[in-house]
Amino acid sequence: MKAVVITQHGDVDGLAYREVPELDCGPDDLLVRVRATALNRADILQRKGHYPPPRPSAEFEIPGLEFAGEVEAAGSRVTDFQVGDRVMGLTAAGGHAQKLVVPSRMAVEVPNELDWHQAASLPEVFITAHDALVTQCGLTSGETVLIHAAGSGVGIAAIQIARTLGTSFILGTAGSASKLARACELGLDFGINYNTDDFSQIVARVCGPEGVDVILDVVGAKYLEKNINSLRLKGRMVLVGLLGGALAQVNLAMLLSKRLTIRGTSLRSRPLEEKIAATRAFEKSVVPLIVHGRIQPIVDRVFPLSDIQEAHRYMESNANFGKIVLDVS
């Protein structure tokens, strides 16, 4: 089979599309013929050597955190899927390949309403956003939420999930007016251009000095102080990325006086059972909303898997709104 292999860490020249050995399917696993996968910021970090897979291979390193495809073989103890079933899901690594082995409990049936590209765009961002907003922060009807990187895959998923929860007001940040306009079409109430405005000042003006109930942040250190200023009494923040750095100075007195909760989360490093729980929550709460059209998969652009270098360049240009999908069929 063919796969994307990181031959050396650094720029895109270290990515190669080449033959790798076939995979063995364990008794609890599915062997999936991948039809589409997607590119995520974590794949960029892994290419640069900053996001190693949980079980590094001495032979080769295949990135890719999600997949959509057909079951080619099922392990002897698998009862929930059979050969030919259409499935999608998360994987810790190896998604950028023609075939993939994944525990059967990590797979979700692909609804008939979705094509391969749409299905591949869903698992990483919607499982992450649902877990962050609902499981980690307990976002509920009537609350206000600030979503950073509103034009990213996670941001777009979070906006739509927050809207279906009945939140009273959704604010979001992005780097261009066009991305904010498109986010408003998906349910964003108020967009903030981080290149021209201080989001904490805008939050205070729009929501009042008390701030918002929940913040979903992918930036990290650069935004921490302003995030804390933007949270109301007993506010909650979940950190799912560190695009703006990992080290910050902060006035801890604000955490005490506001009684804030700040949580960090990462799906890749979690134990298998926790990943399965997050996957099942997505299957139960989000997939039906997609089937009924209340949530939309947003695919920005599709590249052949063999054009992986160009796909990485495109993601690093920050031009995309929604997911960059890789076609494997």
Side-chain angles (χ1 to χ4, degrees):
M1 71 174 191
K2 286 190 174 182
V4 172
V5 176
I6 299 175
T7 59
Q8 61 181 13
H9 293 122
D11 61 25
V12 296
D13 292 336
L15 296 170
Y17 184 61
R18 71 183 195 196
E19 288 287 338
V20 297
E22 293 285 335
L23 302 168
D24 295 322
C25 183
D28 299 306
D29 298 333
L30 300 176
L31 174 63
V32 178
R33 172 62 171 92
V34 180
R35 297 298 182 183
T37 179
L39 191 62
N40 292 282
R41 288 285 173 183
D43 299 313
I44 303 293
L45 293 175
Q46 184 171 343
R47 187 199 81 210
K48 294 180 177 180
H50 305 316
Y51 196 62
R55 295 178 299 277
S57 169
E59 299 179 62
F60 50 84
E61 185 177 343
I62 302 174
L65 301 177
E66 55 195 329
F67 66 91
E70 297 162 333
V71 175
E72 188 167 287
S76 59
R77 292 199 292 258
V78 174
T79 59
D80 43 355
F81 294 103
Q82 59 186 2
V83 173
D85 284 348
R86 301 170 77 231
V87 293
M88 60 184 174
L90 292 177
T91 179
H96 294 173
Q98 291 180 328
K99 296 182 183 181
L100 171 76
V101 170
V102 62
S104 66
R105 292 190 297 160
M106 286 291 290
V108 175
E109 182 181 357
V110 175
N112 292 330
E113 291 81 0
L114 300 178
D115 62 29
W116 290 126
H117 296 162
Q118 292 171 322
S121 74
L122 296 174
E124 176 68 19
V125 294
F126 276 95
I127 293 175
T128 296
H130 184 269
D131 178 76
L133 290 179
V134 179
T135 305
Q136 305 297 326
C137 283
L139 181 65
T140 60
S141 174
E143 292 192 309
T144 54
V145 58
L146 170 63
I147 297 167
H148 289 299
S152 68
V154 171
I156 291 168
I159 289 168
Q160 296 188 80
I161 290 170
R163 177 58 64 206
T164 63
L165 292 172
T167 50
S168 64
F169 203 74
I170 305 172
L171 300 95
T173 65
S176 71
S178 61
K179 287 187 178 183
L180 291 171
R182 294 189 65 184
C184 287
E185 295 174 0
L186 296 173
L188 186 70
D189 291 306
F190 195 95
I192 305 168
N193 189 327
Y194 60 71
N195 285 319
T196 59
D197 295 305
D198 182 325
F199 73 83
S200 62
Q201 294 180 1
I202 302 296
V203 169
R205 189 183 78 205
V206 174
C207 299
E210 63 272 17
V212 297
D213 294 289
V214 170
I215 295 177
L216 187 154
D217 182 38
V218 300
V219 177
K222 184 178 177 181
Y223 279 7
L224 182 58
E225 183 178 5
K226 292 178 180 179
N227 280 334
I228 290 174
N229 292 336
S230 299
L231 283 169
R232 68 186 311 157
L233 184 69
K234 296 183 181 179
R236 295 97 69 199
M237 186 182 90
V238 58
L239 182 64
V240 299
L242 297 171
L243 296 176
L247 299 177
Q249 288 186 323
V250 63
N251 180 2
L252 294 176
M254 294 288 285
L255 273 71
L256 299 179
S257 62
K258 288 188 174 184
R259 289 177 280 165
L260 303 179
T261 300
I262 297 178
R263 305 188 70 162
T265 183
S266 172
L267 284 173
R268 191 184 205 182
S269 60
R270 293 190 197 181
L272 178 60
E273 292 300 323
E274 291 187 19
K275 294 180 183 179
I276 291 169
T279 299
R280 298 280 76 85
F282 159 76
E283 180 181 42
K284 178 181 178 180
S285 300
V286 178
V287 172
L289 297 173
I290 296 169
V291 170
H292 291 101
R294 296 184 60 195
I295 286 179
Q296 304 174 44
I298 305 297
V299 176
D300 176 89
R301 188 168 170 182
V302 179
F303 291 85
L305 184 61
S306 56
D307 287 350
I308 188 63
Q309 292 187 0
E310 188 59 32
H312 273 242
R313 291 190 186 98
Y314 182 63
M315 173 165 274
E316 290 183 298
S317 75
N318 294 318
N320 63 297
F321 179 88
K323 290 304 291 280
I324 299 171
V325 170
L326 304 170
D327 184 274
V328 194
S329 59

